[in-house]
């Protein structure tokens, strides 16, 4: 059986990457809500606070996506480094062309 068919449990680093990805997704989904709340605040006279709320939500969402992307990329690099010891690269002569 190959490695893909064996049952494996997730490590804590995998769970952390999934959690950071979900957090980034929630932060991006909250940006339209922050825009709506910021518009209501500006309508009621709190213009600076409304703009700050909207701008802050965008900054937090961008930071969350960046952190999720970097941690995911680092996790994939670590997995590839661990798997590279089990991978055998075939040369052109190793293939059977009948």
């Amino acid at each position: 059986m190959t490695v893909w068919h064996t049952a494996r449990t997730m490590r804590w680093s995998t769970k952390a990457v999934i959690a950071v990805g979900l957090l980034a997704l929630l932060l991006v989904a909250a940006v339209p809500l922050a825009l709506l709340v910021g518009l209501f605040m500006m309508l009621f006279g709190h213009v600076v606070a409304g703009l700050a709320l909207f701008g802050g939500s965008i900054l937090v969402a961008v930071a969350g996506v960046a952190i999720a992307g970097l941690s995911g990329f680092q996790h994939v690099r670590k997995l590839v480094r661990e798997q590279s010891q089990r991978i055998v690269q075939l040369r052109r002569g190793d293939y059977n062309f009948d």
Side-chain angles (χ1 to χ4, degrees), residues 13-82:
S13 60
T14 305
K15 292 178 183 177
V17 169
I18 291 171
V20 170
L22 287 175
L23 179 65
L25 184 67
L26 288 173
L27 289 173
V28 169
V31 170
L33 180 65
L35 174 64
L36 185 67
V37 171
L39 285 175
F40 281 126
M41 288 177 71
M42 286 190 278
L43 285 175
F44 292 124
H46 302 285
V47 176
V48 175
L51 290 173
L53 176 70
F54 184 59
S57 69
I58 289 176
L59 287 176
V60 170
V62 167
V65 168
I67 290 171
L70 290 175
S71 65
F73 184 70
Q74 180 182 3
H75 188 70
V76 168
R77 285 183 63 190
K78 186 175 108 179
L79 287 175
V80 168
R81 190 173 47 236
E82 289 175 1

